[in-house]
Amino acid sequence: HTITFDFMTTTLYNKEREVSLSEIEKKLLYVLAKNRNHFVPSSSIIEYVWENDLIHTNTLRTTIKRLRSKIGDNAIVSSRTFGYKLIIQ
């Protein structure tokens, strides 16, 4: 995959074609991309993306699943202990 994320416009491109993302998916991808190759705790993601801590972790998991379907299943690694990380090679 040739995936590009434009931080200024929060736009995702796959092989130069724009990929449609919801506002929540854009914020999630932004926080993961800013911390690429490092785990981000689920609580930090929830606080940044949803701007509160009242969101259930199932909501985060569902959003991660939708994002994985758009950028590739192996692009986001999950750890029950450490959270999530975006793998960039």
Side-chain angles (χ1 to χ4, degrees):
H1 289 310
T2 304
I3 304 260
T4 306
F5 183 68
D6 183 332
F7 283 96
M8 297 296 290
T9 63
T10 62
T11 304
L12 178 69
Y13 297 94
N14 187 350
K15 298 180 183 172
E16 299 182 14
R17 297 183 74 196
E18 187 173 339
V19 177
S20 176
L21 295 174
S22 71
E23 288 303 312
I24 294 293
E25 291 168 335
K26 286 179 183 183
K27 289 177 85 173
L28 175 57
L29 186 55
Y30 182 87
V31 73
L32 291 174
K34 278 289 191 186
N35 296 281
R36 60 193 167 272
N37 298 322
H38 297 284
F39 278 103
V40 181
S42 297
S43 59
S44 296
I45 294 171
I46 288 169
E47 186 177 312
Y48 177 80
V49 173
W50 285 275
E51 299 174 5
N52 69 54
D53 59 359
L54 302 176
I55 298 299
H56 195 276
T57 54
N58 283 340
T59 302
L60 174 58
R61 282 190 212 117
T62 300
T63 307
I64 290 282
K65 184 177 179 179
R66 278 198 324 264
L67 191 55
R68 281 180 173 147
S69 73
K70 296 178 181 185
I71 65 173
D73 286 338
N74 298 326
I76 301 173
V77 175
S78 60
S79 165
R80 212 172 243 157
T81 305
F82 300 111
Y84 295 91
K85 75 176 170 179
L86 180 66
I87 302 295
I88 305 287
Q89 298 178 4

